[in-house]
Amino acid sequence: EVQLLESGGGLVQPGGSLRLSCAASGFTFSTYGMTWVRQAPGKGLEWVSGISGSDGSTYYANSVKGRFTISRDVSKNTLFLQMNSLRVDDTAIYYCAKGDNYVGSWGQGTLVTVSS
Amino acid sequence: EIVMTQSPATLSVSPGERATLSCRASQSVYSNLAWYQQKPGQAPRVFIYGASARATDIPARFSGSGSGTEFTLTISSLQSEDFAVYYCQQYKNWPGTFGPGTKVDFK
């Protein structure tokens, strides 16, 4: 069974940083692309960043480009999202997701709140 | 970036009725289109991928159709557990943009 467990969310001031982690199990992590998707309170889904399973290429939404960095440690089956220069409108639940095209499995999400 | 739109924003339906949800892409995504269901307080769940393939354990009352820029999700006979928000997503190009969602609620 695929399991994705996010951690690292919390309250941070504008301009601050957070690093999200996602521990993956139940599948061969090194061979799959992975994605971060977020959902602001009461809003829809927004694709944030992805990392290709084939060549490790990374992609970012325009709204986070230059501020967020996606990476992974295949030895620890863990996906990361380094978030810098956080803004109030980055407040959302951040979901870790298996797949770099459609999302086959989702984590339960971790809440990031950016507020002074 | 490919922009996805969905209609209607809210669909009020009675149990047992048929529901038809629409999704449109700003340019062709071929069949690279998925549908997700999300219930309050839960993560989304994939229901349809490849525009028409049902994901694992998804009931046959759910069907997807379309290609290019116009897509449809049909629920043939709504059950109580189907009342939720449905999102479409294109994955032809990154970013894999989502539509704004259609909320299916009780009539």
Side-chain angles (χ1 to χ4, degrees):
Chain A
E1 179 192 2
V2 172
Q3 292 197 338
L4 301 168
L5 186 60
E6 302 97 336
S7 60
L11 176 63
V12 62
Q13 291 188 336
S17 298
L18 277 178
R19 189 192 196 203
L20 304 184
S21 300
C22 171
S25 61
F27 65 103
T28 307
F29 181 72
S30 60
T31 65
Y32 280 87
M34 299 291 292
T35 300
W36 288 98
V37 177
R38 69 184 181 183
Q39 187 169 36
K43 303 297 184 182
L45 302 171
E46 180 186 14
W47 187 97
V48 173
S49 181
I51 185 165
S52 169
S54 58
D55 63 6
S57 299
T58 58
Y59 298 84
Y60 300 93
N62 288 336
S63 57
V64 307
K65 199 172 294 182
R67 301 187 298 123
F68 290 11
T69 302
I70 190 172
S71 62
R72 64 183 176 181
D73 184 338
V74 296
S75 69
K76 296 182 179 179
N77 286 356
T78 302
L79 179 72
F80 302 102
L81 186 67
Q82 177 66 43
M83 304 187 295
N84 299 331
S85 303
L86 282 161
R87 310 188 300 219
V88 171
D89 62 359
D90 292 319
T91 295
I93 296 172
Y94 284 73
Y95 293 103
C96 167
K98 171 177 171 274
D100 59 359
N101 40 54
Y102 74 90
V103 175
S105 299
W106 301 69
Q108 86 290 347
T110 187
L111 178 62
V112 172
T113 303
V114 185
S115 175
S116 54
Chain B
E1 174 175 312
I2 298 175
V3 177
M4 307 300 292
T5 57
Q6 291 185 243
S7 62
T10 303
L11 184 61
S12 297
V13 188
S14 298
E17 289 187 340
R18 182 184 187 92
T20 302
L21 290 66
S22 296
C23 173
R24 175 176 291 180
S26 61
Q27 63 187 78
S28 177
V29 299
Y30 301 97
S31 293
N32 297 298
L33 192 285
W35 290 93
Y36 302 87
Q37 179 196 70
Q38 187 179 33
K39 296 181 178 179
Q42 297 183 16
R45 178 186 178 190
V46 65
F47 267 46
I48 300 287
Y49 62 93
S52 60
R54 276 191 301 276
T56 303
D57 295 332
I58 302 305
R61 63 181 180 273
F62 290 88
S63 64
S65 63
S67 66
T69 62
E70 302 280 345
F71 300 89
T72 300
L73 175 68
T74 301
I75 312 171
S76 60
S77 177
L78 264 155
Q79 306 298 303
S80 57
E81 62 266 30
D82 302 335
F83 291 94
V85 179
Y86 293 84
Y87 296 94
C88 63
Q89 182 218 4
Q90 68 79 21
Y91 53 92
K92 172 183 177 291
N93 292 344
W94 280 14
T97 41
F98 291 89
T102 291
K103 182 178 181 180
V104 177
D105 67 10
F106 280 98
K107 191 172 187 179

